[in-house]
Amino acid sequence: MAIWTRPISIELLTKHSRNTAMEHLGIELVEVGDDFLRGRVPVDSRTHQPYGLLHGGVSVVLAETLGSLGANYSCAPGYHAVGLDINANHLRGVRSGWVTGTARPVHQGRSTQVWQIDLQDDAGRPICVSRITMAILEQNG
């Protein structure tokens, strides 16, 4: 059973993300499932740290992007989600290719949501595990 409370598609998510950090870093949304979102980021000069590895902060940007979009598209009508806390455990360095993240809800409550985002390299090896807590707020006007 799908968790989405409003229309969702790769096209809508991509349009919603224009002129943001996502576009600057080359983050692409690639799949929407009944209970998950998947996106990826290139590992290149835009996303490297000075030693040639994917910058850990970019992993967190990908994780927060996926968790935030997931929370916002799955909260009740008339509400929106904002980030409260995010953590990340970096497990492996990546020098090239793509890192793909999959976000799934762990908890979807009335006032908070918790999402887990698992990031993998092109070989399917885990590179980062992140968890984001979102506050669910009533929209103003």
Side-chain angles (χ1 to χ4, degrees):
M1 181 167 162
I3 62 172
W4 314 116
T5 58
R6 58 194 76 177
I8 187 170
S9 67
I10 297 301
E11 295 77 20
L12 284 171
L13 293 169
T14 300
K15 182 179 178 182
H16 186 88
S17 303
R18 287 199 180 109
N19 298 313
T20 68
M22 286 180 59
E23 192 171 69
H24 179 73
L25 294 172
I27 292 174
E28 299 175 357
L29 298 159
V30 296
E31 187 177 0
V32 176
D34 283 346
D35 68 345
F36 72 90
L37 288 178
R38 188 166 289 134
R40 66 185 192 158
V41 67
V43 184
D44 61 22
S45 61
R46 293 172 289 181
T47 59
H48 280 156
Q49 41 94 309
Y51 302 104
L53 296 169
L54 177 66
H55 194 294
V58 173
S59 294
V60 176
V61 169
L62 177 59
E64 185 157 358
T65 296
L66 295 172
S68 292
L69 287 170
N72 273 289
Y73 278 82
S74 67
C75 62
Y79 290 82
H80 68 283
V82 296
L84 285 177
D85 182 64
I86 190 165
N87 69 55
N89 296 104
H90 304 289
L91 309 173
R92 175 186 316 276
V94 180
R95 293 189 177 278
S96 63
W98 290 86
V99 166
T100 301
T102 303
R104 285 190 165 86
V106 174
H107 166 74
Q108 291 185 290
R110 184 182 54 77
S111 60
T112 62
Q113 290 189 21
V114 177
W115 286 68
Q116 178 160 318
I117 306 93
D118 296 309
L119 279 61
Q120 298 180 324
D121 65 12
D122 286 332
R125 296 175 297 198
I127 66 116
C128 180
V129 175
S130 182
R131 192 168 275 202
I132 188 168
T133 303
M134 305 293 293
I136 308 304
L137 304 174
E138 194 168 2
Q139 291 177 341
N140 296 328

